[in-house]
Amino acid sequence: MSGARRGRFITLEGPDGSGKTTAARHLADWLRSRGEPTVLTGEPGGTPLGEEVRRLVLHLRDVSDDLDPRADALLFAAARAQHTSRLILPALERGEHVVCARYLDSSLAYQGAAYGIDADEIRRLQRFATFEVVPDLTILVDVPVEVGLARKRRGEWNRFEDTEGARFFETVRSAYLGFAAAEPERYRVVDGSGSVEATDAAIRAVVEPFIFPRTQDRSAPG
Ligand code: TYD
């Protein structure tokens, strides 16, 4: 990088149906409305390869019925490597912010905590897949499992929601809460169980001082 200011990398995480995707879109719109160039993206996806992987891992039933967790982790990791190198890093280096619904913590929560791949192994794989990029800020949009699942109509369920029960999603949720507690400098937890507007407002309150620190300085005493 040539000294230009690098953009900030913000990820939104949470259990299924927490509203991350909508919240990410609203956050990106808000940042742009404040004059901040922002790329909106999400996983699995974000590149043509990522979209292919998404189709494969979320919807191909004959494949996913007997999917080994390591194979699953590698598919998400392949999509993440492509996403990071082709979309996320170039945007950050152009000085744009990146708002991304799901990133490496999804693999730690789902393939790691919920499917039982050893935490150190999955972290090692993430370092490789992400080129050691770590989000500057991760917002956990937290909702009780039953609230999240009830929000999704059955026809929209992916293979996790089709095949896993509430216990699986409880494991995912508590894994996320554990990550947030372990990394308080990177993580903020926002309640996603209220209205879309309430979630958006809570997220903006977290992001505001992070992206616009001088706005805060001016209102500080002295
Ligand atoms: P998606 O339809 O995007 O779910 P949501 O709207 O809840 O974000 O599907 C993403 C699914 O893929 C979700 O159930 C979590 C799972 N997933 C993983 O298991 N590992 C990963 O690394 C990623 C990115 C997603």
Side-chain angles (χ1 to χ4, degrees):
M1 281 223 357
S2 56
R5 185 167 175 265
R6 198 183 155 105
R8 311 310 293 275
F9 183 25
I10 302 174
T11 57
L12 283 86
E13 295 280 356
D16 295 64
S18 62
K20 300 168 300 298
T21 310
T22 305
R25 192 173 73 243
H26 291 175
L27 173 60
D29 286 345
W30 177 73
L31 286 168
R32 290 174 190 140
S33 77
R34 302 273 311 253
E36 298 289 318
T38 302
V39 171
L40 171 66
T41 188
E43 293 197 349
T47 66
L49 177 75
E51 292 302 330
E52 285 294 314
V53 170
R54 178 180 187 86
R55 203 171 50 79
L56 194 64
V57 293
L58 296 190
H59 298 296
L60 279 189
R61 218 146 298 283
D62 47 342
V63 171
S64 57
D65 274 354
D66 182 35
L67 192 53
D68 184 89
R70 287 185 185 219
D72 198 27
L74 287 163
L75 286 167
F76 282 112
R80 183 160 302 133
Q82 187 75 3
H83 192 202
T84 305
S85 79
R86 297 298 191 267
L87 190 132
I88 296 171
L89 278 172
L92 296 173
E93 281 166 12
R94 287 194 304 271
E96 299 178 17
H97 304 305
V98 174
V99 172
C100 185
R102 296 198 182 279
Y103 194 60
L104 62 91
D105 301 274
S106 284
S107 287
L108 300 177
Y110 287 76
Q111 283 68 49
Y115 282 121
I117 297 182
D118 176 80
D120 287 336
E121 299 274 20
I122 198 99
R123 279 185 198 285
R124 210 143 50 95
L125 177 62
Q126 298 316 305
R127 281 199 291 278
F128 181 71
T130 60
F131 300 74
E132 307 199 16
V133 171
V134 177
D136 298 302
L137 175 67
T138 296
I139 299 167
L140 170 56
V141 184
D142 183 49
V143 289
V145 166
E146 59 284 4
V147 172
L149 292 181
R151 278 180 184 166
K152 292 198 153 187
R153 281 188 292 121
R154 212 169 205 300
E156 297 169 356
W157 281 12
N158 61 38
R159 74 149 150 116
F160 295 89
E161 294 145 346
D162 269 345
T163 57
E164 304 295 347
R167 242 181 81 201
F168 176 90
F169 294 105
E170 291 292 355
T171 306
V172 167
R173 183 187 183 203
S174 43
Y176 274 127
L177 289 167
F179 303 156
E183 277 191 79
E185 1 27 81
R186 170 161 76 94
Y187 257 97
R188 296 289 181 280
V189 182
V190 158
D191 176 12
S193 63
S195 65
V196 171
E197 293 72 24
T199 304
D200 287 347
I203 290 174
R204 286 198 296 265
V206 164
V207 173
E208 171 94 43
F210 180 75
I211 298 282
F212 307 104
R214 272 174 301 175
T215 318
Q216 300 284 305
D217 291 348
R218 273 204 296 275
S219 59

